[in-house]
Amino acid sequence: MATGENQRVGNEVTDLAPGWDNPEISELPIEGFRYTSVDFYEKEWNEMWTKVWLLLGRVSEMPSKGDYQVEEVGVESIIMVRQDDDSIRAFYNVCQHRGSRLTNNTQGHAEVFRCPYHSWEWSFDGTLLSVQDPEDFPRGNPCEELTLVELPCEVFAGFVWVNLDPDCKPLKEYLGPLWDEWLAYEIDDWSRVLKISTQVPCNWKVIQDNFCESYHLPTVHPQLADSHEENYAYTQFDMSDEGHNRMIMMGATLSRSMRGENPDLPVSLAERMKHWDLDPKDFDQRVYDVRLALQRKMRELGPSRGHTHYSNLRDSQLTDSHHYNLFPNCSLTFSADGVLLQRMRPDPLDPQSCLFDHWYYTKNTELADSATNIELTDTEGLHETVKYGEQSMGLIPDQDIAISVMQQLGLRSSGFKGGFLSSQESRIRRFHDVIDSYIK
Ligand code: FES
Ligand SMILES: [Fe+2]
């Protein structure tokens, strides 16, 4: 089967970045039961979800001590809360009296968490401050016996990461090559300008599979041919030993195979050029020269315009989409000034359903908009849960999710025999290999 060498299909054309480990992948079929079976879902939960680092919160959204965020993953609910010493700690959202959730809020500020059932009061550092009738407990005053159950929690890239495994390895080791690449963007102070969530009738892996390949772009997102070179031969694919994937797709260009040798300059690219003091007229008949010219201008002017992190970035990172599959359940697409974060969480009641989050972080909305095709202009500041099928999340996520729902319907059929992948879809097989390495 394919080795790391021939999975990096684009490299004979252009080296966009130093490659990763690209471990061997299996040739196993990817059968439908992986997306439908309750047994498989339970194995995934017990042996994989409870052993991995999960991207859950955002530090900047908890600025003061006592500020908290609550995130659900499968059957669990986790409180992340800012401490007196400014650190963030994570606790199960579970009262140790008789198991009630402490809060149904998704975020807020609390001097104490007061359990709604019998009013036990928990400090945000996990200590139990007061209970009703403390003298009536045969095993002693609960305040001297109990604390909230704490979870391993780390902060990186401005995100709060939590692991349900008390014996987990450090986050840096888990992230492998993602650590240094994401550090370079200096995203700690980027803020969330788009936050949409929805429940989707498909298994969580269907969406991550989709985000593990760009083979669907010409069919599902034909509009991206006006901003990216979609041809796999020009695209770099990498897989890491830790289970994460990367795809680097050239941006600030057009898809030659879709748009021909001498296309008109799209308006969005012309706007981006003007922003960087390039005259679109100088590139008449030379659309395919724009990308490198833009890189030079961004390099030259970026730092004086406040883009200090450009000095950390490779030329390719200035113009090209750097797309990462963070194992197991996130997909992050970086442009030089923004990142689209999409996250899939399992539905604890149904393997054929999941929660989908579509978030965008940036320091500079105007620039990120033209570089990424994210429709921020209409949705800036939108924070909502939408009903799948009734409200739009934006054109591109609507396209991806619609096709994922179609696929789920086919995956549950006995007529599906396990797939037939191209090399450019190897990251899907790798994703399932990594899941299997946890659940064996
Ligand atoms: S369950 Fe929380 S106080 Fe009783
Ligand atoms: Fe897509």
Side-chain angles (χ1 to χ4, degrees):
M1 187 56 196
T3 65
E5 283 290 288
N6 56 19
Q7 287 155 29
R8 295 181 62 214
V9 198
N11 290 355
E12 63 284 323
V13 180
T14 177
D15 257 320
L16 298 172
W20 285 2
D21 304 316
N22 294 310
E24 294 259 345
I25 55 172
S26 78
E27 291 181 87
L28 297 170
I30 303 176
E31 293 174 81
F33 72 87
R34 302 174 72 87
Y35 305 88
T36 57
S37 147
V38 173
D39 283 353
F40 191 78
Y41 171 90
E42 282 177 1
K43 269 191 191 163
E44 268 183 0
W45 179 259
N46 293 328
E47 296 169 41
M48 190 275 288
W49 285 101
T50 51
K51 312 284 180 216
V52 293
W53 279 100
L54 299 164
L55 187 161
L56 293 187
R58 188 73 181 160
V59 178
S60 59
E61 295 177 20
M62 294 175 267
S64 310
K65 69 173 184 173
D67 288 351
Y68 66 89
Q69 290 186 310
V70 179
E71 289 273 312
E72 313 263 321
V73 185
V75 294
E76 298 298 356
S77 173
I78 294 145
I79 299 178
M80 294 157 281
V81 57
R82 175 82 77 170
Q83 303 293 305
D84 279 332
D85 66 357
D86 254 6
S87 67
I88 308 272
R89 292 169 69 186
F91 303 94
Y92 284 105
N93 180 13
V94 178
C95 179
Q96 297 302 310
H97 176 218
R98 282 180 37 222
S100 172
R101 283 207 173 163
L102 292 171
T103 177
N104 281 325
N105 296 337
T106 55
Q107 61 178 48
H109 173 84
E111 290 304 320
V112 294
F113 291 102
R114 183 178 296 109
C115 180
Y117 200 169
H118 311 92
S119 288
W120 284 20
E121 287 189 332
W122 301 88
S123 159
F124 54 70
D125 68 4
T127 54
L128 181 53
L129 299 172
S130 71
V131 305
Q132 282 188 71
D133 309 330
E135 70 290 348
D136 189 36
F137 288 82
R139 287 162 63 191
N141 182 342
C143 297
E144 284 153 24
E145 303 292 327
L146 299 174
T147 60
L148 291 180
V149 177
E150 187 164 5
L151 288 158
C153 176
E154 291 196 35
V155 164
F156 170 65
F159 295 109
V160 183
W161 306 69
V162 175
N163 200 312
L164 301 181
D165 178 3
D167 302 319
C168 60
K169 60 185 167 190
L171 176 65
K172 186 166 195 252
E173 207 178 303
Y174 180 83
L175 291 179
L178 301 184
W179 184 276
D180 285 338
E181 295 217 7
W182 294 2
L183 214 50
Y185 288 92
E186 298 179 358
I187 70 172
D188 294 44
D189 61 344
W190 293 5
S191 52
R192 183 153 61 174
V193 294
L194 177 66
K195 179 174 185 263
I196 303 178
S197 298
T198 192
Q199 181 120 17
V200 183
C202 71
N203 182 270
W204 68 276
K205 295 186 294 299
V206 174
I207 304 178
Q208 184 69 306
D209 287 354
N210 174 262
F211 294 152
C212 282
E213 52 97 344
S214 56
Y215 191 46
H216 69 280
L217 264 54
T219 323
V220 176
H221 314 295
Q223 71 275 24
L224 289 181
D226 286 330
S227 56
H228 289 84
E229 176 48 84
E230 296 177 333
N231 188 326
Y232 74 93
Y234 294 85
T235 304
Q236 180 170 330
F237 308 117
D238 284 289
M239 298 174 281
S240 81
D241 283 342
E242 294 78 9
H244 317 296
N245 302 322
R246 178 180 67 181
M247 175 189 73
I248 307 175
M249 177 173 281
M250 287 197 275
T253 187
L254 282 73
S255 187
R256 232 176 252 264
S257 53
M258 302 270 290
R259 295 292 184 257
E261 280 305 314
N262 196 13
D264 291 339
L265 195 63
V267 174
S268 59
L269 186 54
E271 287 303 312
R272 197 171 164 198
M273 292 165 71
K274 286 186 221 157
H275 180 92
W276 289 107
D277 296 357
L278 287 172
D279 187 346
K281 282 200 224 71
D282 294 342
F283 290 81
D284 210 20
Q285 316 280 308
R286 294 174 49 221
V287 173
Y288 295 111
D289 293 338
V290 169
R291 177 173 165 271
L292 293 183
L294 200 58
Q295 286 177 0
R296 280 193 291 274
K297 277 291 186 186
M298 291 171 81
R299 183 72 69 210
E300 177 195 328
L301 303 174
S304 64
R305 294 183 178 185
H307 304 269
T308 47
H309 63 290
Y310 284 6
S311 58
N312 309 330
L313 302 182
R314 295 183 297 271
D315 286 350
S316 168
Q317 286 171 301
L318 297 175
T319 50
D320 303 341
S321 281
H322 281 59
H323 175 92
Y324 301 89
N325 304 111
L326 164 68
F327 185 83
N329 68 325
C330 294
S331 149
L332 293 93
T333 310
F334 280 82
S335 60
D337 292 279
V339 60
L340 173 68
L341 170 48
Q342 292 164 305
R343 187 178 67 161
M344 291 64 70
R345 287 171 294 159
D347 181 335
L349 300 176
D350 181 2
Q352 300 197 56
S353 168
C354 69
L355 298 166
F356 175 66
D357 301 305
H358 180 79
W359 301 335
Y360 196 80
Y361 297 84
T362 184
K363 192 154 81 167
N364 181 336
T365 307
E366 182 197 337
L367 197 61
D369 200 4
S370 66
T372 62
N373 291 294
I374 302 298
E375 299 153 76
L376 293 175
T377 339
D378 296 333
T379 48
E380 188 176 348
L382 179 66
H383 288 56
E384 65 173 286
T385 300
V386 303
K387 279 206 164 138
Y388 172 71
E390 292 182 18
Q391 292 158 279
S392 171
M393 292 178 283
L395 182 57
I396 292 175
D398 284 352
Q399 290 168 331
D400 280 319
I401 297 304
I403 209 68
S404 298
V405 172
M406 285 275 284
Q407 191 188 5
Q408 178 74 38
L409 297 176
L411 289 170
R412 67 191 193 191
S413 163
S414 333
F416 178 66
K417 301 300 180 195
F420 196 85
L421 301 186
S422 61
S423 287
Q424 62 187 291
E425 295 170 292
S426 297
R427 286 164 294 152
I428 299 178
R429 186 53 262 176
R430 171 68 182 156
F431 169 48
H432 289 263
D433 282 350
V434 179
I435 292 173
D436 289 346
S437 74
Y438 278 90
I439 67 177
K440 258 172 197 158

